[in-house]
Amino acid sequence: MAYEKAGFVQGDPSANKTLLARTDGVTTRKVTILAGRVLDAGAVLGKITTGGKYILSLSAASDGSQAPDMVLAQDVDASAEDIEAIAYETATVVASALTIGTGHTLDSIREGLRVKGITIDD
């Protein structure tokens, strides 16, 4: 299935098996990754309050992105410009497949993601 507006073609869904603990109850949403980042699928994203773009959530941030919000569903190279990507809005993800930003731990992101609909399977 092509996601033309997001600028990518979805690959083999089996590639997500290491990120997703279960395939039921998964919902995704298109997000904009702020330029200057290269992120792997599984990155725990935070939303910048001003502008609404997403970056890797870092606990010391003070722009809103310190609060984990979604999990990136695909690899993204936004090194040159903002890139639209697909992120998990609800899912059960595998803990070892997550990329967690500096200052965060599984314990520090678990509750924030859970209330948003993302659970972590250890």
Side-chain angles (χ1 to χ4, degrees), residues 90-107:
T90 61
T92 300
V93 295
V94 176
S96 62
L98 297 176
T99 301
I100 301 172
T102 303
H104 280 307
T105 64
L106 280 176
D107 288 338

Side-chain angles (χ1 to χ4, degrees), residues 33-114:
I33 305 298
L34 185 66
R37 281 122 185 100
V38 175
L39 299 172
D40 292 331
V44 176
L45 302 175
K47 183 177 181 180
I48 299 171
T49 305
T50 305
K53 296 178 183 174
Y54 286 80
I55 60 174
L56 183 66
S57 180
L58 307 175
S59 70
S62 59
D63 58 4
S65 67
Q66 66 274 15
D69 191 55
M70 289 195 198
V71 174
L72 191 60
Q74 64 179 105
D75 294 343
V76 172
D77 183 349
S79 54
E81 61 185 348
D82 293 354
I83 295 288
E84 290 182 333
I86 301 299
Y88 294 113
E89 193 168 45
T90 61
T92 300
V93 295
V94 176
S96 62
L98 297 176
T99 301
I100 301 172
T102 303
H104 280 307
T105 64
L106 280 176
D107 288 338
S108 74
I109 65 169
R110 189 180 303 273
E111 182 63 16
L113 287 176
R114 187 194 63 77

